[in-house]
């Protein structure tokens, strides 16, 4: 079983090309794991299970070839779920952004860390952006308490991650200071840059927007070194409307073929 | 003057559940003794749901109090110093939702210790559902599926069960089972009933509905005794005494 994680510096679920490119990558990773129609579940815990985040996820994946669901720990009162069964039945778990501190605290209260660790070992793809990316590392830089400060993650991936890297200079500065002070080094990810971890090897960097980069951050003899990583560009797929036209064309062509209209 | 430590634990009710019936909310505002009390809403158990925060501000208008809220999911907004803000309140009002998530988030931000301090300094604490369970040593919650026991903040050395409705047989049975298995004795409240504690003693039970009741629960020799408590309906018009 190959453990796979996709960590993203920041993105949104919109119809913009860079967002479509990220969603296409999520869908491809999930489909590879499923070997067919994948099941994709969002954990919106870090945002307090905000309706808006959940709605955007469904509006993006609802029209794609997959079975989307959400596991909302704050909404179990109206919609009870078996946490372990639901998570282990997925092909990809996507963790949304928000408060890293609250994410870890709520997961701990619901004993979700052990379930996610098991999912990871079973080859279920773990993914997320912002707090939902940093949570897989030993540590990240979070604004959960207001100012950017180090915060702990689950530690499935060694080292640390700083998201929104070039986009939020104060967060980047706090990260470089923390690494200089002894926090384990790791990676900086701009919005629309990502790292794909497969097995135990080093990650592959990807980018969905020109200029968005991934950096390796390490403490050396002469201080903290920031090295940009070569990244593969993720092309945006056709927008939904165009995809529907193509699908419709194919359906009609297939029907004609079955009916023998094309000879 | 001696500082009173007060907690009002609603089984259910107030603006969250009883639109148009302000009796319980009026009661807790009245306990502060302030003409225009400072009230802070903690919606943590709902994940700081926007619609809930809006409803709080509608119910606690500027005409009768100075309302604020703390969103622990959006700390970059709102008061930077949680302790200073909470200790400056007359009333802290905790909303409903998941008590498990509530306690997790509070501990992560150190709010558990601040609330204890606020209580000791005389800030009135109240809440419904998860916002009631959190104050007790043992909480019986049915929010996450089958009823389960959760350790609360322990300001009140009792167990607590909310939404203790006549129809909720599963919850009642679960609470009785927990008590037989050694859970400490405690109190249950129906929707509309509120348990008012002064210090660690139950002072009285009040209600926003004439039929709502509070109960005392004890386990005696493997048997559970459930005793209804005299409950004062807050809506009764004061009887005019003819001169």
């Amino acid at each position: 079983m190959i453990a796979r994680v996709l960590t993203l510096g920041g993105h949104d679920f919109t119809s913009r090309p860079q967002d479509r490119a990220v969603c296409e990558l999520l869908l491809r990773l999930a489909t590879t794991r499923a070997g067919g129609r994948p099941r994709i579940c969002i954990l919106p815990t870090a945002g307090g299970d905000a309706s808006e985040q959940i709605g955007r996820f469904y509006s993006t994946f609802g029209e794609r070839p997959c079975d989307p669901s959400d596991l909302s720990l704050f909404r179990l009162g109206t919609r009870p779920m078996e946490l372990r069964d639901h998570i282990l039945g997925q092909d990809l778990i996507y963790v949304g952004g928000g408060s890293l501190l609250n994410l870890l605290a709520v997961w701990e209260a619901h004993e979700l860390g052990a379930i996610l660790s098991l999912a990871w070992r079973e080859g279920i793809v773990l993914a997320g952006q912002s707090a939902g990316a940093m949570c897989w590392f030993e540590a990240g830089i979070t604004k959960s308490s207001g100012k950017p400060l180090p915060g702990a993650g689950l530690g499935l991936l060694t080292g640390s991650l700083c998201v929104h890297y070039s986009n939020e200079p104060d967060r980047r500065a706090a990260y470089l200071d923390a690494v200089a002070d002894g926090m384990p080094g790791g990676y900086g990810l701009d919005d629309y840059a990502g790292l794909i971890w497969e097995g135990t090897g080093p990650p592959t960097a990807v980018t969905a927007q020109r200029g968005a980069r991934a950096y390796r951050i390490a403490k050396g003899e002469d201080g903290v070194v920031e090295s940009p990583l070569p990244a593969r560009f993720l092309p945006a797929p056709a927008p939904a409307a165009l995809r529907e036209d193509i699908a419709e064309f194919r359906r009609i062509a297939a029907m004609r073929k079955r009916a023998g209209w094309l000879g | 003057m001696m500082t009173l430590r007060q907690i009002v634990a609603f089984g259910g009710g107030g603006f969250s559940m009883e639109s148009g019936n302000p009796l319980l909310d009026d009661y807790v505002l009245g306990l502060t003794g302030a003409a225009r009390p400072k009230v802070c809403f903690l919606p943590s158990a709902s994940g700081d749901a926007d619609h809930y925060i809006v409803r709080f501000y509608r119910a606690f208008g500027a005409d009768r109090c100075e309302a604020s809220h703390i969103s622990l999911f959006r700390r970059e907004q709102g008061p930077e110093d949680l302790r200073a803000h909470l200790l400056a309140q007359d009333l802290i009002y905790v909303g409903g939702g998941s008590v498990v998530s509530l306690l997790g988030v509070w501990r992560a931000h150190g709010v558990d210790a601040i609330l204890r301090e606020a209580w000791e300094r005389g800030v009135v604490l109240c809440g419904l559902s998860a916002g009631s369970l959190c104050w007790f040593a043992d909480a019986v919650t049915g929010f996450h599926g089958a009823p389960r026991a959760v350790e609360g903040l322990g300001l009140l050395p009792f167990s607590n069960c909310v939404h203790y409705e006549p129809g909720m047989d599963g919850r009642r049975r679960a609470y009785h089972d927990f008590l037989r298995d050694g859970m400490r004795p405690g109190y249950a409240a129906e929707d509309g009933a509120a348990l008012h504690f002064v210090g660690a003693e139950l002072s009285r039970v009040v209600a926003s509905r004439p039929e709502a009741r509070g109960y005392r629960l004890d386990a005696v020799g493997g048997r559970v005794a459930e005793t209804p408590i005299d409950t004062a309906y807050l809506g009764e018009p004061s009887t005019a005494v003819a001169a």
Side-chain angles (χ1 to χ4, degrees):
Chain A
M1 210 61 84
I2 302 173
R4 285 194 179 85
V5 185
L6 168 63
T7 55
L8 297 154
H11 78 102
D12 201 348
F13 292 117
T14 75
S15 59
R16 296 194 306 162
Q18 57 271 45
D19 285 322
R20 294 205 310 271
V22 167
C23 291
E24 198 62 23
L25 174 62
L26 288 164
L27 190 61
R28 188 162 58 73
L29 290 169
T31 307
T32 304
R33 142 86 189 175
R37 188 181 172 88
R39 283 179 280 194
I40 299 179
C41 177
I42 185 172
L43 279 176
T45 321
D49 298 337
S51 308
E52 198 194 333
Q53 190 182 102
I54 299 167
R56 283 171 180 231
F57 168 80
Y58 278 110
S59 69
T60 294
F61 286 106
E63 57 178 28
R64 306 309 312 274
C66 67
D67 295 325
S69 65
D70 69 286
L71 204 172
S72 296
L73 297 170
F74 286 94
R75 294 162 189 258
L76 292 174
T78 46
R79 214 171 38 125
M81 282 171 109
E82 278 301 324
L83 305 185
R84 186 188 157 93
D85 292 353
H86 190 78
I87 287 174
L88 296 179
Q90 302 301 311
D91 297 298
L92 186 143
I93 300 288
Y94 175 91
V95 180
S99 164
L100 179 66
L101 189 62
N102 291 1
L103 175 70
L104 267 291
V106 173
W107 278 1
E108 193 187 337
H110 290 273
E111 296 166 357
L112 228 58
I115 301 173
L116 290 169
S117 169
L118 182 58
W120 178 61
R121 290 198 300 276
E122 293 203 348
I124 294 170
V125 184
L126 304 180
Q129 69 106 11
S130 196
M134 295 190 288
C135 65
W136 309 116
F137 288 80
E138 291 172 70
I141 295 291
T142 174
K143 294 184 175 175
S144 302
S145 301
K147 294 190 186 74
L149 290 169
L154 288 180
L156 300 183
L157 300 174
T158 44
S160 60
L161 174 67
C162 179
V163 293
H164 314 305
Y165 192 67
S166 305
N167 314 84
E168 296 182 7
D170 57 338
R171 196 189 290 260
R172 173 176 170 273
Y175 184 43
L176 297 176
D177 285 351
V179 173
D181 286 350
M183 177 171 161
Y187 300 88
L189 284 174
D190 292 347
D191 288 353
Y192 296 104
L195 292 168
I196 303 175
W197 307 73
E198 291 185 283
T200 49
T204 313
V206 291
T207 176
Q209 183 172 278
R210 299 285 171 206
R213 311 188 80 163
Y215 301 85
R216 177 91 182 106
I217 311 298
K219 190 178 178 181
E221 299 265 309
D222 304 315
V224 179
V225 182
E226 179 186 87
S227 335
L229 298 171
R232 181 163 56 84
F233 187 73
L234 300 169
L242 190 54
R243 274 201 312 273
E244 275 165 27
D245 289 347
I246 295 169
E248 180 68 9
F249 174 79
R250 285 187 180 145
R251 270 197 299 277
I252 293 168
M255 275 164 53
R256 283 183 168 170
K257 200 170 174 184
R258 274 201 302 278
W261 294 343
L262 295 180
Chain B
M1 196 183 114
M2 208 181 75
T3 305
L4 284 184
R5 293 171 301 157
Q6 298 188 85
I7 292 176
V8 185
F10 305 0
F15 77 94
S16 316
M17 290 177 65
E18 300 178 305
S19 181
N21 180 347
L23 291 173
L24 288 181
D25 293 343
D26 288 346
Y27 182 74
V28 290
L29 281 175
L31 293 180
T32 65
R36 193 161 173 269
K38 287 185 187 161
V39 185
C40 183
F41 181 47
L42 290 178
S44 325
S46 70
D48 297 338
D50 286 334
H51 64 89
Y52 200 9
I53 297 168
V54 170
R55 281 194 288 145
F56 163 74
Y57 281 106
R58 277 199 197 121
F60 287 82
D63 52 323
R64 59 175 183 158
C65 64
E66 192 180 317
S68 65
H69 79 282
I70 287 177
S71 180
L72 295 174
F73 279 88
R74 290 183 284 270
R75 283 286 306 277
E76 66 280 8
Q77 302 161 17
E80 194 177 317
D81 188 339
L82 296 180
R83 183 174 170 273
H85 185 79
L86 288 170
L87 294 182
Q89 302 302 309
D90 297 300
L91 173 68
I92 294 171
Y93 195 121
V94 181
S98 164
V99 70
V100 174
S101 300
L102 170 81
L103 292 167
V105 170
W106 279 2
R107 284 171 183 144
H109 291 268
V111 169
D112 50 342
I114 299 171
L115 289 172
R116 174 180 283 276
E117 195 180 349
W119 177 60
E120 286 166 351
R121 290 188 182 200
V123 179
V124 179
L125 307 179
C126 78
L128 76 149
S129 196
S132 164
L133 296 171
C134 62
W135 311 118
F136 292 81
D138 290 312
V140 179
T141 173
F143 185 83
H144 311 87
R148 55 185 271 209
V150 173
E151 193 182 327
L153 295 184
L155 303 186
L156 300 171
F158 309 107
S159 55
N160 181 229
C161 188
V162 292
H163 307 305
Y164 207 64
E165 299 303 285
M168 301 296 283
D169 293 338
R171 188 175 301 223
R172 176 175 255 110
R173 212 165 29 241
Y175 189 17
H176 285 206
D177 286 345
F178 290 140
L179 289 164
R180 264 191 294 272
D181 290 348
M183 182 182 266
R184 71 194 86 208
Y187 298 91
E190 294 175 354
D191 287 346
L195 310 161
H196 179 182
F197 291 87
V198 176
E201 299 291 322
L202 181 71
S203 162
R204 63 193 292 225
V205 184
V206 296
S208 56
R209 311 171 191 181
E211 71 286 359
R213 287 287 172 280
Y215 300 88
R216 165 83 201 182
L217 285 103
D218 292 285
V220 187
R223 288 174 58 94
V224 174
E226 181 174 305
T227 319
I229 303 168
D230 280 342
T231 303
Y233 174 52
L234 295 168
E236 211 71 74
S238 52
T239 316
V241 179

